[in-house]
Amino acid sequence: MIDSGTPDARQDFYDRVVAATADTRYRPRRTVPGFDLTVDVPRSPLTARRISQVHTYRVVLHPQERRFSMTDIVRTVEYEAGLGGVRTSKTVSSGRNVYVTWSRSLDGTRRHSFSSAAGHRLIRGVARELGWEEIRPTSVKAARAAGLLGAAIALGTLIACAVVFLF
């Protein structure tokens, strides 16, 4: 195994991701700090709105520490035809996105599904094989802290209500 402190450690990580995504819808692309793993999210053509969505797993590698961080970037473009013409909206979200979609062809013969967690598992599996550790992005840490604070406030409110109504 290549020592994680060598320049080849990034290349080894990337090569394993390329091998793991061969013959899949995932498209790996090298970047300076690591790599992007991109996939088109299948959408149902059965709606009036046309939605195009691309999910990118942005991976930043820190070979000296044998650590990596992963951020999801989801780009969505919606087209909707109506009486006023065609409206287009574009959104980009960044952070940790976990979701599942299902779609099928117009004749109902082909079904497609997508789970953003599958890309996370793929990248984490390669990292585990190489002995790398994941660093949570700041946005994920902030969201977790906000969630814990909200849970603590809700628990305190429930306890206060129980004290008031039971005694």
Side-chain angles (χ1 to χ4, degrees), residues 33-74:
F35 62 90
D36 286 350
L37 187 60
T38 304
V39 62
D40 295 321
V41 178
R43 292 295 190 165
S44 176
L46 301 177
T47 62
R49 292 184 335 204
R50 299 291 180 235
I51 300 173
S52 169
Q53 191 171 45
V54 177
H55 191 113
T56 300
Y57 305 89
R58 178 148 297 152
V59 179
V60 176
L61 302 174
H62 306 278
Q64 266 56 22
E65 297 90 31
R66 202 178 246 186
R67 294 176 146 189
F68 74 99
S69 65
M70 181 173 22
T71 304
D72 298 335
I73 300 169
V74 181

Side-chain angles (χ1 to χ4, degrees), residues 12-48:
D12 189 32
F13 197 116
Y14 179 72
D15 289 344
R16 289 188 188 220
V17 168
V18 169
T21 58
D23 299 324
T24 68
R25 298 182 310 200
Y26 293 100
R27 299 179 309 274
R29 182 179 65 86
R30 244 347 259 247
T31 62
V32 173
F35 62 90
D36 286 350
L37 187 60
T38 304
V39 62
D40 295 321
V41 178
R43 292 295 190 165
S44 176
L46 301 177
T47 62

Side-chain angles (χ1 to χ4, degrees), residues 30-167:
R30 244 347 259 247
T31 62
V32 173
F35 62 90
D36 286 350
L37 187 60
T38 304
V39 62
D40 295 321
V41 178
R43 292 295 190 165
S44 176
L46 301 177
T47 62
R49 292 184 335 204
R50 299 291 180 235
I51 300 173
S52 169
Q53 191 171 45
V54 177
H55 191 113
T56 300
Y57 305 89
R58 178 148 297 152
V59 179
V60 176
L61 302 174
H62 306 278
Q64 266 56 22
E65 297 90 31
R66 202 178 246 186
R67 294 176 146 189
F68 74 99
S69 65
M70 181 173 22
T71 304
D72 298 335
I73 300 169
V74 181
R75 290 179 175 81
T76 306
V77 179
E78 292 186 54
Y79 305 94
E80 188 170 14
L83 296 176
V86 176
R87 288 182 295 199
T88 303
S89 67
K90 298 178 182 180
T91 59
V92 177
S93 67
S94 178
R96 186 57 51 95
N97 294 292
V98 179
Y99 61 95
V100 177
T101 65
W102 295 272
S103 67
R104 63 179 175 182
S105 62
L106 287 172
D107 61 5
T109 57
R110 288 178 300 190
R111 294 175 188 247
H112 304 282
S113 65
F114 172 78
S115 170
S116 62
H120 297 149
R121 282 191 299 271
L122 186 144
I123 293 165
R124 287 181 182 129
V126 169
R128 193 172 28 259
E129 287 175 10
L130 295 172
W132 289 56
E133 180 185 354
E134 183 175 5
I135 306 167
R136 304 282 182 196
T138 305
S139 60
V140 172
K141 291 176 185 177
R144 178 176 280 171
L148 290 173
L149 178 62
I153 291 170
L155 181 61
T157 303
L158 286 174
I159 292 171
C161 288
V163 168
V164 168
F165 291 115
L166 293 177
F167 297 109

